Amino acid sequence: MILLTGSNGFLGKYLINNLPAKIVKTLNRSDSDYEVDLSINIPCFTDKFDTVIHNAGKAHIIPKSKEEIAAFYNVNVLGTQNLLKGLSNSLPKCFVFISSVSVYGLIVGENINENCSLLAEDPYGKSKIDAEFVVKKWCEEHNVSCTILRLPLIVGVNPPGNLGSMIQGIKKGYYFNIAGGNAKKSMVLASDIAKFILKAAEVGGTYNLTDGIHPTFNELSKSISRNLDKSFVPNMPLFIANVLAKIGDIVGNTFPINSNKLSKITSTLTFDDSKARIAFGWNPTPILDSFKLHEDA
């Protein structure tokens, strides 16, 4: 029996579609086998699970209030603690925690591996660091095999977040590559994570997962444009972007760009997934070869 938390989310839908339906139970706030708000409640399980995949969590956004900052800790850390408390009377053999490369706290770097220090200072990254620690400690104390998957940008059909905004911007004609869009970023297909997650669970360990190619913004935008039958993605010179970013620093979060965002957009940040390739045969699909915007694409 497998327990999957967060099955209603973007990645969760790929996971639930890939796992054997007859042996999967789901946990979400609603529309699931166990309807629990983990940030405030400890679940009471009536099933015995061999594998638990903890995918539920608060996604990476820029918090705009103290309440949003607190929510990262409440959902990602306290929620994980409450899940583990609920499992303590009926231990699984394997526990998989969906983490993020945000734990490294970096905006620039190449081929960063799992031995890199966890330096995140933002509320999301810190909450993932804390949750990783909680999971590892609990698994060690209870002799449960622990797998932590640190994920970069997750790509799939109708994605949320920055990738979804990028697609909408290209569709409506207001997306620009900046300085040629030559910065490379690690990405991974949601379908590949789903395909390999049980293999990772069997092995245990901490792993970065990427497509191994790390497309540039220019390459990704061209792929999206082809999907949308668009022929051209405009480019914004860096000096213009710098001026707009300084305006954004003054105006605040309502402005589409600021110096921090510009730095991220123009900086290469890639992660090394060779450990996963050796440990459980991670063999991902290159993003640009198979990225689809819609199910019927």
Side-chain angles (χ1 to χ4, degrees):
M1 185 75 70
I2 299 170
L3 175 67
L4 173 63
T5 73
S7 61
N8 293 338
F10 175 63
L11 175 59
K13 291 176 180 177
Y14 281 88
L15 295 175
I16 197 69
N17 287 335
N18 189 73
L19 296 170
K22 291 182 180 180
I23 62 168
V24 176
K25 296 288 185 177
T26 58
L27 186 155
N28 298 283
R29 292 182 180 181
S30 60
D31 300 323
S32 59
D33 298 302
Y34 292 96
E35 296 185 355
V36 183
D37 183 345
L38 289 173
S39 66
I40 56 177
N41 293 309
I42 297 172
C44 181
F45 296 113
T46 56
D47 296 286
K48 165 69 176 176
F49 304 108
D50 294 310
T51 300
V52 175
I53 301 172
H54 185 30
N55 174 61
K58 182 171 175 59
H60 193 183
I61 62 168
I62 298 175
K64 299 178 181 178
S65 66
K66 291 182 179 179
E67 290 75 18
E68 288 188 351
I69 292 174
F72 284 116
Y73 181 81
N74 293 338
V75 174
N76 294 343
V77 183
L78 292 183
T80 299
Q81 290 175 330
N82 284 337
L83 173 62
L84 297 175
K85 288 176 182 177
L87 292 167
S88 290
N89 291 327
S90 183
L91 298 173
K93 295 177 181 177
C94 305
F95 191 98
V96 180
F97 178 62
I98 301 299
S99 189
S100 166
V101 294
S102 293
V103 296
Y104 298 113
L106 301 173
I107 62 172
V108 61
E110 295 188 61
N111 295 320
I112 297 155
N113 65 33
E114 295 85 352
N115 294 322
C116 183
S117 298
L118 307 186
L119 303 173
E121 291 294 334
D122 65 290
Y124 173 74
K126 288 175 68 176
S127 73
K128 285 295 189 179
I129 292 174
D130 290 346
E132 283 193 14
F133 176 80
V134 167
V135 168
K136 286 181 180 178
K137 186 172 184 292
W138 183 87
C139 287
E140 288 174 2
E141 291 175 348
H142 294 87
N143 197 29
V144 174
S145 176
C146 176
T147 302
I148 293 175
L149 302 180
R150 293 175 179 162
L151 307 181
L153 177 67
I154 302 174
V155 177
V157 173
N158 297 321
N162 290 336
L163 182 55
S165 298
M166 182 180 183
I167 293 168
Q168 288 302 312
I170 293 173
K171 182 184 295 185
K172 296 178 180 179
Y174 59 74
Y175 174 83
F176 291 79
N177 281 319
I178 295 176
N182 294 319
K184 302 184 76 173
K185 300 291 182 181
S186 287
M187 307 174 194
V188 65
L189 285 171
S191 55
D192 278 342
I193 300 167
K195 186 190 304 180
F196 283 90
I197 197 162
L198 291 182
K199 292 182 180 180
E202 293 174 359
V203 174
T206 300
Y207 305 99
N208 298 330
L209 299 184
T210 80
D211 82 330
I213 303 298
H214 320 295
T216 65
F217 279 110
N218 183 43
E219 291 169 332
L220 182 62
S221 64
K222 285 182 177 179
S223 176
I224 294 170
S225 295
R226 287 193 294 270
N227 272 267
L228 294 171
D229 293 324
K230 300 279 187 178
S231 59
F232 176 69
V233 177
N235 178 67
M236 180 183 294
L238 184 58
F239 77 91
I240 295 177
N242 278 322
V243 172
L244 293 174
K246 293 185 183 303
I247 295 173
D249 292 340
I250 298 170
V251 173
N253 289 333
T254 57
F255 205 72
I257 193 168
N258 56 36
S259 293
N260 184 50
K261 289 181 181 178
L262 179 60
S263 179
K264 290 181 179 179
I265 291 170
T266 55
S267 299
T268 287
L269 182 60
T270 62
F271 298 87
D272 179 10
D273 65 2
S274 58
K275 182 180 175 184
R277 292 173 185 265
I278 295 169
F280 56 88
W282 172 248
N283 184 26
T285 307
I287 297 291
L288 299 178
D289 289 352
S290 59
F291 182 30
K292 295 181 180 180
L293 300 184
H294 306 287
E295 294 289 358
D296 57 352

